[in-house]
């Protein structure tokens, strides 16, 4: 199963966007399609899906990808912490901590975090 087929199966609510993506040979990130591209990168690079982000797995890579996803949801979509928490089955205070920690890692250019964030930073359309 290709990455696109896997995304289509798991995220059927994005059907219209996926139909557009199928017609394009090169997809550029926009503020509307960044989530699809995020999971395409997460699956192809790290083998991490949305279900992995919802679990209580504390492996370093999954934790960092989860933090980056929360950070981008806050930056790009301006979602409340509670909304992000419901989406990922986490408490709002956990989301706050993750977003703040991501900002801190970016500001100090933390090597381990930035190795992962560099794959996703082009998806940051926030202010």
């Amino acid at each position: 199963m290709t990455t696109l087929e896997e995304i289509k199966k798991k995220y059927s609510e994005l059907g219209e966007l996926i139909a557009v993506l199928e017609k394009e040979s090169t997809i550029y990130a926009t503020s509307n399609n960044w989530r699809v591209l995020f999971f395409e990168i997460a699956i192809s690079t790290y083998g991490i899906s949305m279900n992995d982000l919802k679990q209580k797995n504390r492996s370093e890579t999954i934790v960092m990808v989860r933090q980056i996803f929360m950070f981008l949801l806050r930056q790009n979509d301006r979602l409340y912490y509670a909304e992000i928490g419901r989406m990922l089955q986490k408490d709002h205070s956990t989301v706050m901590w993750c977003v703040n920690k991501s900002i801190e890692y970016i500001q100090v250019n933390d090597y381990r975090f930035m190795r992962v964030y560099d794959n996703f930073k082009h998806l940051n359309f926030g202010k």
Side-chain angles (χ1 to χ4, degrees):
M1 180 180 294
T2 68
T3 303
L4 186 57
E5 289 169 343
E6 188 173 324
I7 291 171
K8 190 187 295 185
K9 181 180 175 188
K10 289 185 179 180
Y11 306 102
S12 59
E13 67 273 8
L14 298 175
E16 268 184 49
L17 181 57
I18 291 172
V20 170
L21 294 175
E22 287 176 327
K23 293 177 185 171
E24 294 293 325
S25 59
T26 304
I27 305 301
Y28 299 98
T30 68
S31 59
N32 294 325
N33 73 352
W34 76 267
R35 289 186 197 187
V36 172
L37 295 175
F38 180 93
F39 282 106
E40 189 170 316
I41 294 166
I43 290 169
S44 64
T45 306
Y46 303 105
I48 296 173
S49 68
M50 181 66 159
N51 289 335
D52 296 325
L53 297 184
K54 289 179 181 180
Q55 294 176 356
K56 291 188 177 190
N57 190 324
R58 304 236 342 131
S59 96
E60 183 178 47
T61 305
I62 290 177
V63 167
M64 286 185 194
V65 171
R66 184 185 302 129
Q67 285 178 343
I68 292 166
F69 186 58
M70 289 180 188
F71 169 72
L72 291 175
L73 283 169
R74 182 75 174 157
Q75 291 292 310
N76 292 343
D77 297 347
R78 300 284 186 210
L79 297 179
Y80 293 112
Y81 294 117
E83 291 175 302
I84 297 169
R86 279 191 297 275
M87 184 183 300
L88 294 172
Q89 299 171 355
K90 305 291 179 200
D91 188 73
H92 79 281
S93 60
T94 301
V95 176
M96 287 175 65
W97 186 90
C98 288
V99 169
N100 291 334
K101 201 66 175 168
S102 295
I103 292 168
E104 181 183 317
Y105 285 146
I106 292 167
Q107 287 174 345
V108 299
N109 204 21
D110 182 82
Y111 173 74
R112 290 183 311 170
F113 183 83
M114 293 306 287
R115 267 192 351 223
V116 178
Y117 181 66
D118 283 342
N119 293 308
F120 299 102
K121 68 182 175 185
H122 67 285
L123 302 176
N124 187 354
F125 296 98
K127 305 268 185 233

